Amino acid sequence: MPNRRRLLALFSVMSLVVATSCGSDSDDADDSASAATAPPASTAPPASTTAVTDATDGSADGAGDVRVVEHALGTSEVPVEPERIVSMDSIVTLDALVALDSFDAVVGRIDISTADDPYWLDVDVESVPLLGTFPTISIEEILSVDPDLVVGFQIAVELLDQVPNEVVPLVAVAPTDGITNPRWQDVVTGLGETLGKETEADAIIADYDAELDAVVAGLPDGFANRTVLVLLGSAGMVGTAMGSSAGPAEVFGRLGLIVSPELDGQGDFVTLADEQVPDLRADAVVVLDFDGGATDWDAALADLPAYAANEAIARGVTVVDGTLWLNSGPIGQTRLLGELVEVLAP
């Protein structure tokens, strides 16, 4: 049984970490009223830094066989066969755990994106207790399910990174850059190494690549070399566009599409100034909706002079589920391949 008092003593410290992070985001939002407040978006950070040494007999508290995992936040002793896993993310990491056939071991999850549950997973996500929603994350709630492993990408796990390994091992399964999510491939690789399922993880990525190759081979005439403007929409507002360097844009490039060429070099996700919006060219405009379908984006954009003046937007936009397109893991991204072609076909 984990040491409850020791872990609870850390709660006040972690509350300050979360509150500080939340406060800086609010200041940024005030500076740009038109910017969308979307969930963390995937990027292309360095490859997974997770590494594993041979298992040893007995951990520091005598809990049994462990493997030593080196990851983005340090070193952790992880049970060879963890039976009670908490996922520090209800979308990408949970998706990857399902793909690795480890869902039965998940006893809790944290929602850090305020997005709906991943409907594309063929499991009962709601059966897993929701232990917190960012920025309200309670260490006591996490401890209440007696986890023997807590996993997630770096920006999520580091909210708890002062918790000693002998209380509960934490593993950042993929590194992150700034406040953004990692590539799903890095999450799968890191989880595979953490759980001793490296072969399965490699197979998941290889199967996706093969499916993508098949989709590319069957693309309709005129699909490639078209330009695409991808806007993030949340709370009825826009103001952020996906750049070609963003992780999710990789698949667009594999399909032969060109993402916002005017934004090259400006970042993975670019805050748009009103004066540059009318000149953004695109054969197709996609709005990643984080409002659950509650916003009429054609009408909302028509009410914004800079966006109404953009010829491509004026022709009409295609609205898609932002969580699936931007934040899903291997199962969601495989499902997305067919949708991408359908939505973006000329």
Side-chain angles (χ1 to χ4, degrees), residues 16-31:
L16 291 175
V17 174
V18 173
T20 301
S21 172
C22 184
S24 62
D25 287 345
S26 297
D27 294 341
D28 293 340
D30 292 340
D31 293 338

Side-chain angles (χ1 to χ4, degrees), residues 85-306:
I85 300 172
V86 168
S87 174
M88 288 295 294
D89 146 46
S90 285
I91 308 295
V92 183
T93 306
L94 191 63
D95 186 322
L97 285 166
V98 173
L100 286 166
D101 197 25
S102 294
F103 179 75
D104 288 346
V106 180
V107 295
R109 58 195 172 98
I110 299 293
D111 181 6
I112 64 169
S113 67
T114 68
D116 292 335
D117 290 335
Y119 57 84
W120 55 88
L121 298 180
D122 190 20
V123 295
D124 184 6
V125 174
E126 292 186 357
S127 69
V128 179
L130 184 62
L131 304 178
T133 299
F134 183 86
T136 306
I137 297 176
S138 166
I139 293 178
E140 183 177 21
E141 285 295 316
I142 294 172
L143 185 59
S144 71
V145 297
D146 294 326
D148 56 10
L149 176 63
V150 175
V151 293
F153 42 84
Q154 180 180 342
I155 191 64
V157 174
E158 67 186 1
L159 295 173
L160 308 174
D161 68 358
Q162 297 183 45
V163 178
N165 186 83
E166 59 266 27
V167 174
V168 57
L170 310 175
V171 175
V173 295
T176 47
D177 180 15
I179 61 170
T180 53
N181 295 359
R183 296 170 67 249
W184 66 262
Q185 291 93 334
D186 295 338
V187 175
V188 171
T189 298
L191 279 174
E193 293 169 348
T194 301
L195 300 174
K197 295 186 175 184
E198 296 93 335
T199 300
E200 293 91 333
D202 290 343
I204 288 169
I205 295 171
D207 288 346
Y208 173 83
D209 288 339
E211 180 68 18
L212 178 54
D213 287 341
V215 170
V216 170
L219 287 175
D221 293 340
F223 189 92
N225 298 317
R226 299 170 69 245
T227 55
V228 181
L229 174 61
V230 182
L231 300 172
L232 278 64
S234 179
M237 298 183 294
V238 292
T240 302
M242 185 168 72
S244 59
S245 60
E250 292 178 5
V251 67
F252 287 76
R254 289 282 300 275
L255 295 172
L257 299 168
I258 303 168
V259 177
S260 301
E262 296 91 349
L263 303 180
D264 279 349
Q266 297 185 37
D268 293 346
F269 293 88
V270 183
T271 299
L272 299 175
D274 282 349
E275 57 267 21
Q276 74 185 122
V277 173
D279 296 327
L280 296 175
R281 59 187 175 90
D283 295 308
V285 180
V286 176
V287 175
L288 304 183
D289 174 42
F290 292 97
D291 287 350
T295 299
D296 181 343
W297 288 108
D298 280 306
L301 293 168
D303 286 340
L304 299 172

